[in-house]
Every structure is written in C-alpha cells, then in structure tokens.
Amino acid sequence: MAAPLICPSILASDFARLGEEVRALDAAGADWIHVDVMDGHFVPNITIGPDVVKALRPHTTLPFDVHLMVAPVDPWLEAYREAGADILTVHPESGPHLHRTLGRIRQLGAKAGVVLNPGTSLSVLDDVVELVDLVLLMSVNPGFGGQSFIDTTLRKIDKTRAILDAAGSKAHLQVDGGVTAANAGACVAAGADALVAGTAVFRGGPSAYAANIQALKAA
C-alpha cells in the first residue's frame, strides 16, 4: 500500500510566522500545503484571503491545496487561482451550479475538487465525477481546527473509493478533520490516498514536523 500524500493544514500553524512555517513544512517532507479559507458565513470562522496565499506562494514550490469554505464561492475562484492555488476544492452547498463551478476551476488551469461534509450525500458525485480531480471527505464538521475524527467517516471513505474506481476516476481521495497517526492507517486502508492534518503535524514545533509527517505516512 502506497504511503498517502500528507497535506498539512496551515490553519494549525503559527500565523505570525506563516512564511517560515510553509518553508519548514516543505523541508520536513510535506506533499501539499492545505489552505483552509473560511468566510464567517458558510462556516463560523474567518481565516485566509487571496492576498495571504499570494504572499506565501514564493516560499515553496509545493502545490497549494485551497479548500474554499465560502458562499457564494464562484466570485472567488479567479482570485485564489491568480494568488497561486494549484487545487481549488468547493462544497456543493456553496453555489447553485456545482458542475459549472468545477468546470470553471479547470478552465482557470487549476485542479478541481469537491468537498463533502459529514452530512452531505455521496450522490453528489453521480453527475460530476468526470470533472473532479479530488474528492475531500470532511471527517469533522468544517469551521474550526482541533476537532475529533468522526468514526463513521471510514465507511464513507470506502464507499467513495468504490464510486471513483467504478467510474475509472484517477481523482485523489482526501480526508480532513481530526486525522492523527492513530487513525491515518484506517483512512488509507479504507481507500484514502491524501490526508489533511493540522495538530498532528504542528505539535512540537518545526523541529518535530518531519517526524510527525513521517508518522502519518507510516501509520
């Protein structure tokens, strides 16, 4: 079984040292940089605007995996792409035309992802799977870091993997929320190939990042 991609969420980083944090993650062996964008409307928190993404872009060549928890989402796609996003993931609840939104992301030259909350049905994938480069399953309800993993997500990972395989899709299957070395192995066994982790990566400070990332890969 291949080791999963590890995508540290900078939501858990030291915001006073974001550039340094991103460089440290790169040096520690991270695969993608996960950027949680929250608008205080779609989710109850406010985080990172496109200018911050633009400021961080020169600090690494790793892909920026930008998770847009904003509504309406369509007006923001171009700004985050221009700021340096390589992957843009959107929630089906954040706009009226998911198919159009995913198509627009690809038109902008980014990879397109769809995010499914714990209460969002997998049936959303039925008519958009051919437009998706990434499926992100939330294993917590979005809005805040530090939450505990919802165990029923493992069944959802398994079902999603079956949907992607049946469609012949090469899309990555990513899990986000409460991911630790204790449950990372179960996520991968169920079919995930990319893991977003916040506290599990940033615990212990920059000197611990490499060991924390390796622990997630080896779980």
Side-chain angles (χ1 to χ4, degrees), residues 64-152:
F64 275 5
D65 167 28
V66 178
H67 174 191
L68 294 172
M69 289 169 273
V70 303
V73 72
D74 289 346
W76 292 102
L77 300 176
E78 190 168 346
Y80 279 96
R81 174 59 178 155
E82 289 182 353
D86 299 284
I87 306 162
L88 290 167
T89 55
V90 299
H91 291 254
E93 300 90 351
S94 66
H97 304 294
L98 179 60
H99 191 280
R100 178 188 295 165
T101 299
L102 294 170
R104 177 59 178 155
I105 292 171
R106 284 186 159 190
Q107 188 179 46
L108 290 169
K111 293 186 181 299
V114 63
V115 193
L116 304 181
N117 286 336
T120 302
S121 172
L122 293 177
S123 64
V124 167
L125 296 174
D126 289 349
D127 296 313
V128 298
V129 69
E130 74 282 356
L131 289 176
V132 168
D133 301 294
L134 171 72
V135 176
L136 169 53
L137 297 182
M138 294 302 299
S139 42
V140 300
N141 285 290
F144 296 96
Q147 300 183 65
S148 297
F149 185 89
I150 297 172
D151 290 334
T152 54

Side-chain angles (χ1 to χ4, degrees), residues 3 10 14 25 43 52 71 81 149 171 214:
I10 59 172
D14 180 350
L25 292 170
V43 292
V52 177
R81 174 59 178 155
F149 185 89
Q214 187 54 44

Side-chain angles (χ1 to χ4, degrees), residues 1 33 39 54 72 85 98 135 139 155 183 200 213:
M1 187 180 297
I33 302 297
D39 66 355
K54 183 178 180 180
L98 179 60
V135 176
S139 42
R155 293 200 302 269
N183 57 38
I213 289 170

Side-chain angles (χ1 to χ4, degrees), residues 45-57:
N45 200 356
I46 297 174
T47 56
I48 293 172
D51 285 348
V52 177
V53 174
K54 183 178 180 180
L56 292 175
R57 186 66 278 181

